[in-house]
Amino acid sequence: MEAAGDGRFICSTTDLPLNRPAQMMVNDWGRIVLDIRSSDESTIHPANDLLIQALAIYPCSHLVDRWESKLEKDAEFIRQSEKGGKCIFLLNNTFDVLQMVRRQSASFASDELASRLASMIERYKKSYLDECWAPLNRLNLEEFNAEFLATCHRQMTWKVTAELRYQMRQEIVDFIVPPYEVSLSALQGRGKRLLGAPFSLLRRQIVGEKKQKKYYYYTVEQLEGEIRGLFEG
């Protein structure tokens, strides 16, 4: 087994077919049918354990390719209308396999395999941020408030494994808060008076005889507080 240029691990006999026990395990993946009604973004795919067992017999990148394909195919069924939830499902399962690999002392648990799984996790994180949070950075502050709260509300009950949960929260903070802080500073620079308010209040309030609009803009600390409450399940 050797490392490929892109960090993948490969067998020195990549042209050979899988041996019979490994092939039987791969065939089992195709017969796995998840119960869509009871599955969500936190469901750990049965193919994860089968991958580890197969790698112990035949440590080859083909196995990871096939597992990855199965995982992404089933993610489409579990989260058909929620691309962000699909990314969380993929993150949870890839992180699960990475943790199992790190606990293994067998020869297949190589740095190259761990590197490939870590690379997959980073790719799924980027897809999640692009899908769920990047659109908010293109909104003005008045639009941002409502969309931010709606996004947090949708994801508050999503389940993410504990160690990954803290990583994801920090990724979102780093992605959302700095642009928001720049926008707040620019607004203050134009002489706008910023009004802090609890998240329970409406973002917009109509006051005065002329129906003048008063906007509430949240502090950086308030945004971080909401983000750090995500994924509690």
Side-chain angles (χ1 to χ4, degrees):
M1 184 169 61
E2 59 184 0
D6 60 356
R8 294 189 176 197
F9 70 108
I10 59 175
C11 299
S12 58
T13 56
T14 52
D15 293 333
L16 296 179
L18 298 178
N19 62 26
R20 183 173 177 79
Q23 184 63 60
M24 290 176 64
M25 289 181 181
V26 170
N27 292 341
D28 285 342
W29 297 351
R31 290 191 287 269
I32 294 174
V33 179
L34 294 180
D35 185 348
I36 304 302
R37 292 171 298 178
S38 63
S39 298
D40 58 24
E41 72 286 337
S42 67
T43 299
I44 297 301
H45 203 293
N48 295 1
D49 284 328
L50 291 175
L51 172 65
I52 297 299
Q53 295 172 34
L55 286 172
I57 299 170
Y58 194 82
C60 185
S61 63
H62 291 329
L63 291 171
V64 183
D65 292 339
R66 297 185 189 188
W67 165 78
E68 182 181 359
S69 176
K70 174 65 174 173
L71 201 64
E72 293 187 352
K73 179 181 178 181
D74 286 350
E76 295 287 350
F77 291 105
I78 291 174
R79 283 293 187 175
Q80 296 182 24
S81 60
E82 181 61 74
K83 292 183 179 179
K86 169 188 170 183
C87 294
I88 296 298
F89 171 81
L90 294 170
L91 278 165
N92 276 327
N93 279 276
T94 308
F95 191 78
D96 176 63
V97 171
L98 178 59
Q99 293 296 85
M100 286 194 284
V101 166
R102 286 173 173 169
R103 290 193 295 266
Q104 296 292 326
S105 58
S107 60
F108 77 85
S110 64
D111 291 341
E112 290 79 17
L113 174 56
S115 177
R116 176 175 180 182
L117 292 168
S119 178
M120 289 172 61
I121 288 172
E122 291 306 310
R123 173 158 51 88
Y124 293 141
K125 281 182 181 178
K126 183 179 185 305
S127 295
Y128 163 77
L129 291 171
D130 288 346
E131 178 64 33
C132 295
W133 297 99
L136 274 67
N137 284 339
R138 296 190 288 269
L139 301 176
N140 62 43
L141 287 180
E142 288 76 22
E143 296 170 327
F144 175 93
N145 285 339
E147 288 301 318
F148 175 81
L149 290 179
T151 300
C152 288
H153 179 74
R154 284 194 301 272
Q155 300 186 24
M156 198 65 67
T157 58
W158 287 5
K159 303 179 186 70
V160 178
T161 187
E163 185 177 341
L164 186 59
R165 182 189 311 154
Y166 297 113
Q167 294 179 21
M168 293 301 296
R169 288 170 177 168
Q170 189 59 50
E171 295 261 1
I172 298 167
V173 166
D174 293 341
F175 192 79
I176 286 293
V177 170
Y180 181 82
E181 194 168 17
V182 169
S183 296
L184 278 183
S185 297
L187 202 62
Q188 287 175 311
R190 295 198 297 270
K192 295 285 187 179
R193 179 171 174 264
L194 305 185
L195 304 173
F199 274 97
S200 58
L201 292 181
L202 293 174
R203 268 71 63 193
R204 182 181 299 172
Q205 180 178 344
I206 306 300
V207 297
E209 294 182 358
K210 296 182 179 180
K211 302 295 183 181
Q212 181 181 1
K213 294 178 180 178
K214 179 189 293 183
Y215 291 101
Y216 291 98
Y217 303 102
Y218 303 112
T219 66
V220 167
E221 290 74 19
Q222 286 175 315
L223 291 188
E224 288 194 23
E226 285 294 301
I227 291 169
R228 297 194 189 282
L230 295 176
F231 311 133
E232 286 296 339

